[in-house]
Amino acid sequence: MKCFINVFKADLKRFWNIAWKMYIALIVYCFMQAMIFFTNMDKSISKGKISAVSLGDSLMDFFKGAKEFYPERKLAMDIPVLEIFVLLFLLFIVAYYINSDRSALSKSIMIASRSPVYWWVSKYIITVLAAMVYMILIIITFAVSGFIVLRKKLSLKMHFTSKENIRLMLGSEEISVQTNVVLLIILCTLCLITACIITLLVSYVSNSIFGFIINLLLFIFSICYMKWFGFYNYMMMYRIPHVYGKWYLGALLMAGIDVAVMAAGVIYSRKRDFL
């Protein structure tokens, strides 16, 4: 265990040295999006369209995703470009981290750890932490930006403020004000974690490009099917009326994928000759 802890600490330091600039880029991007959102909300408050804004409102707007898609209506599919960018940027951080370890350094770490399984478990844990930190930075950036623009007009509570806010941001009458926003953020985070570890495994056994392709296909699948098993629907607030009632099934599905990926990585590590 002591050997694994030493490997993990060294690996975590290596990840941070690689990723900190990318996280700063994320903060800058989120800050720009948040300032645009809160500026527009401030105008809406001044015009009397809404009375207040919460942090939960802003996060749900940021993760609103693709509008409902019904092929029989022969309407164009809504592609959430900004949300895809947020997802792909996180996947890029993970893929870059793994690819940078495909070197003599990577093999030396495996030798020092006495087991490639330690190497895999370390990468897995760091990838999960990377996704969680990613979400935390988004939340903090929106909270700070909202305070800068709205001051006391901003509520830091994680809830929908009113029907008027939902109607203004998402254009929907189906989403309840009582919707548990904390639960939605947890599901969003679980989506990001699942996407990252899929990319981690594919990058580990093959090529990072395939990890991007697989996640994009899963994202498109979720856009086409507003069902609980399209787990990316939990990142798109427009889809909440269709999947919120079965959120526990979606959470179990994503957790199952996470466990399966962990097991697959361990089995692969034990059977492959890295030296």
Side-chain angles (χ1 to χ4, degrees), residues 228 234 242-251:
W228 66 267
Y234 298 99
H242 303 279
V243 299
Y244 185 73
K246 295 184 177 180
W247 67 266
Y248 54 92
L249 294 177

Side-chain angles (χ1 to χ4, degrees), residues 26 44 55 66 74-76 96 179 194 202 214 234 259 263 270:
L26 168 72
S44 296
L55 178 59
K74 297 181 180 180
L75 299 175
Y96 184 75
T179 301
T194 304
V202 175
I214 290 171
Y234 298 99
V259 172
R270 287 177 174 172

Side-chain angles (χ1 to χ4, degrees), residues 196-210:
C196 284
I197 65 170
I198 290 173
T199 297
L200 172 68
L201 180 64
V202 175
S203 300
Y204 185 37
V205 303
S206 181
N207 190 297
S208 300
I209 298 298
F210 296 137

Side-chain angles (χ1 to χ4, degrees), residues 104-121:
L105 175 61
S106 172
K107 292 183 178 180
S108 67
I109 292 175
M110 290 181 190
I111 294 171
S113 68
R114 302 174 187 173
S115 171
V117 173
Y118 286 174
W119 188 87
W120 163 255
V121 174

Side-chain angles (χ1 to χ4, degrees), residues 33-45 149-150:
Q33 293 297 323
M35 292 299 285
I36 292 172
F37 171 80
F38 286 116
T39 300
N40 289 335
M41 292 300 101
D42 190 36
K43 292 179 181 178
S44 296
I45 292 174
V149 176
L150 298 178

